[in-house]
Amino acid sequence: KAGVTQTPRYLIKTRGQQVTLSCSPISGHRSVSWYQQTPGQGLQFLFEYFSETQRNKGNFPGRFSGRQFSNSRSEMNVSTLELGDSALYLCASSPSQGLRETQYFGPGTRLLVL
Amino acid sequence: AQKVTQAQTEISVVEKEDVTLDCVYETRDTTYYLFWYKQPPSGELVFLIRRNSFDEQNEISGRYSWNFQKSTSSFNFTITASQVVDSAVYFCALSEEYGGATNKLIFGTGTLLAVQP
């Protein structure tokens, strides 16, 4: 089975712009979660989608949003980019929802905001 | 509040040495899962193991072993006869049932393991 794929892998944007990141889960996986990784804050949970519905959201401003499509693919959007949004954004998928599910991560999208 | 602590920021060992990575967690729930992930320089988090709160049996997988002790809220990871390919950042993570069904993982700050040849 192919793993989790994320596009693009690298992105450079300037402050004030917006960005959309894409994630394709492992085939058959219906749950997708997003995490932000920075040197200062570490790995932080952004949000989780299951059956096209956001099930949980981390402590991030409203500039961060996401959605999930009927084929389980997910996108996250960051509007009005700030320098502090520079990070590695990781997507993870799991077969279903729940604490016992193992999440499998993609390679991430490295976003640099100038 | 739920929390995962990895007190060791960096560890450097010479190849073939054994190394233990520590993980201490805090949770208010009785049902929870613990995970270890490996992050090589490429950035992808690679799943290593999952352990539920009701199973305190230690596990061994090749050169890897895990010691789960609820009494001390610890879930330590040992690499036996380390190899250069083991060099990576290792993360311990927790998921708990509090608040309903969720896939949310709480990660520790990670331990950078450098294995020198």
Side-chain angles (χ1 to χ4, degrees):
Chain A
K1 260 187 191 176
V4 178
T5 58
Q6 293 187 244
T7 56
R9 293 293 311 278
Y10 303 92
L11 207 48
I12 300 176
K13 292 286 188 178
T14 56
R15 276 181 300 174
Q17 286 187 309
Q18 75 161 15
V19 66
T20 299
L21 311 182
S22 182
C23 171
S24 292
I26 292 171
S27 178
H29 284 195
R30 298 166 59 201
S31 177
V32 172
S33 298
W34 290 87
Y35 294 81
Q36 181 197 63
Q37 185 177 23
T38 59
Q41 300 299 317
L43 276 157
Q44 292 187 289
F45 171 78
L46 276 159
F47 25 63
E48 167 194 349
Y49 287 89
F50 180 73
S51 294
E52 301 178 63
T53 302
Q54 188 179 91
R55 302 292 178 156
N56 202 351
K57 190 176 193 301
N59 189 25
F60 279 83
R63 300 184 296 107
F64 291 81
S65 62
R67 59 178 176 169
Q68 186 181 34
F69 301 96
S70 58
N71 61 358
S72 296
R73 191 176 69 84
S74 177
E75 288 180 348
M76 68 163 281
N77 184 77
V78 188
S79 62
T80 321
L81 284 166
E82 300 178 359
L83 296 179
D85 297 333
S86 295
L88 177 65
Y89 290 88
L90 292 161
C91 169
S93 76
S94 59
S96 185
Q97 188 187 23
L99 80 166
R100 65 182 58 80
E101 295 290 331
T102 296
Q103 294 186 58
Y104 297 91
F105 285 80
T109 294
R110 290 189 185 273
L111 172 64
L112 176 61
V113 182
L114 301 175
Chain B
Q2 66 269 46
K3 186 180 177 182
V4 176
T5 301
Q6 294 180 257
Q8 303 152 308
T9 305
E10 292 186 37
I11 300 176
S12 182
V13 299
V14 176
E15 211 169 15
K16 297 185 183 175
E17 278 187 41
D18 297 348
V19 58
T20 295
L21 309 181
D22 298 333
C23 173
V24 174
Y25 61 93
E26 293 176 33
T27 178
R28 64 203 131 183
D29 214 327
T30 56
T31 303
Y32 53 89
Y33 279 74
L34 295 163
F35 301 80
W36 275 96
Y37 285 88
K38 172 183 179 181
Q39 187 176 43
S42 60
E44 182 172 348
L45 282 170
V46 178
F47 165 72
L48 295 177
I49 190 172
R50 179 186 74 185
R51 184 53 105 222
N52 76 57
S53 53
F54 300 106
D55 181 3
E56 286 194 74
Q57 222 174 6
N58 292 331
E59 181 155 341
I60 298 174
S61 176
R63 296 184 297 108
Y64 296 171
S65 62
W66 291 269
N67 180 269
F68 176 31
Q69 291 195 337
K70 285 179 74 171
S71 61
T72 56
S73 296
S74 65
F75 186 42
N76 297 336
F77 172 31
T78 297
I79 301 175
T80 303
S82 60
Q83 299 176 3
V84 173
V85 293
D86 295 327
S87 297
V89 181
Y90 290 85
F91 290 94
C92 180
L94 164 74
S95 71
E96 59 177 21
E97 199 166 43
Y98 184 85
T102 177
N103 286 8
K104 177 181 176 180
L105 290 174
I106 306 298
F107 283 92
T109 50
T111 297
L112 172 61
L113 174 64
V115 182
Q116 310 297 333

